[in-house]
Amino acid sequence: MSERIFSLLAFRKGARIVNYGSNSTDCFYVIHSGNVRLSCDIEIVGGRNTVILGPGNFFSVESGLTGRTNLESAVAESDAAIISVRRNKFVDFIREYQKNALKIIQYLSARMRFLDNLLTGRKNSVVQKSPGHLYDIAEYYNLQKQYKAAYYVYNRFLEQIPDGEKAEHAKQMIKKLEKYAEGVRFKFSKKNIYRFYPKGAMLFAEGECGNELFVIREGVVRITKITDSQEKEISILQTGDIMGEMSLIEGLPRSTSAIAIEDCDVLAVEQDDFPQLIKSDPAVAMRIGTALSDRIWITHSKIINSGLTKTPLLETET
C-alpha cells in the first residue's frame, strides 16, 4: 500500500484501538498483522457479540465513513500492526485496492441486511425460501388501492410460481388491473441504463431476485417492507441516493420494496458491471459505502432505542 493513502499504527497486546460510543476519527482500520478482538452490543456474526479478527479484516468502517460515533470496541488481542485509512483517502484506496474495497462493501451490505431484519422481526430465510411472500405483498398493495404496485408484484410472483391456486388468482388480478399497467416496467435491455418510473410505480419488490442497483438521478422513492401484513417504511430516498445495492452485491433476493413517490429518473447498474464500475468510478463505490454505513448507524440506533438488544456495550474488558 502507498504511504499517501494510509498510516501504519502499532498496538501492544491489550491496547484499546477504538471504544464503543466514542467520537469517530474519520478513519477505518485494516489489520496488517496480529489479531484484534471486536465487541459490539448487537450480534456481529454467527450469533456472537465478540469476534477475533486477523490480518486482512477491517473494522470501524461505519463510523469512519460517516463521521458518527463508533458502533464497536476494538482491543488488540496480540501485538498488532493496524492500517488506518482516512475517509478523504477512501476513493484512492478503492482505486488501488479494488478487491479490498469490494470486500468492505459486501460486509456492509450483509451487516445492513442483518440489522434490518432484526429491526423488522424477519429472518433472511423468509425471503430466500418463500417466493410466495410476493403474493402476500401483491395482495397488500391491492387492498391499499396502490394498483400499479400490486400489478407489478402479481407479475413478479407469477414469474417464480407460474402454477397453482394462487397463480390462477394472480392471473385474474393481473387481467383486472391491466388498466394500471402503463408505466409499470419489467424488462430492460442491457444498454437501457437510464430509466424512467412514473409516480406510484414499483422499481423492485421485496422477495424478487435482483441484479441491479439504482442511483436516483431525479425524484423521490419510498423503501418499504411488509411484515405481519403491515407496511413498514424503511427510508425515503432522493436525488443522488443509491438503492438495491444489497441484492446486487450479495446475490440474494430483494429485502425491501421501492416505490416512486413522484416521477423518477434513475441510473441502473447490473451485477456483472459492478466490479468495472468500482474500477472506472471509485467515487460511486465511496457513495455506496457511505450510504450503507449511514443506514447501518441509524438502524443500529433504532434497535438500541427499541430495546431489541441488551444495554449498549460502553467498553470492553481486556
Side-chain angles (χ1 to χ4, degrees), residues 41 100 110 133 168 180 194 204 208-209 218 221 224-225 281:
D41 55 327
N100 287 331
H133 184 58
E168 289 304 315
Y180 299 99
Y194 296 104
F204 55 81
E208 73 169 295
C209 295
E218 186 174 354
V221 175
T224 68
K225 179 185 284 288
D281 193 352

Side-chain angles (χ1 to χ4, degrees), residues 262-277:
E262 58 184 49
D263 291 353
C264 290
D265 286 304
V266 303
L267 167 66
V269 179
E270 292 191 2
Q271 190 172 41
D272 293 343
D273 299 328
F274 188 64
Q276 181 60 35
L277 175 66

Side-chain angles (χ1 to χ4, degrees), residues 104-123:
I104 289 173
I105 293 173
Q106 288 171 332
Y107 159 78
L108 292 173
S109 178
R111 183 69 178 153
M112 182 65 244
R113 185 183 289 272
F114 168 79
L115 293 176
D116 180 47
N117 285 324
L118 180 60
L119 182 63
T120 57
R122 297 190 63 231
K123 297 180 179 180

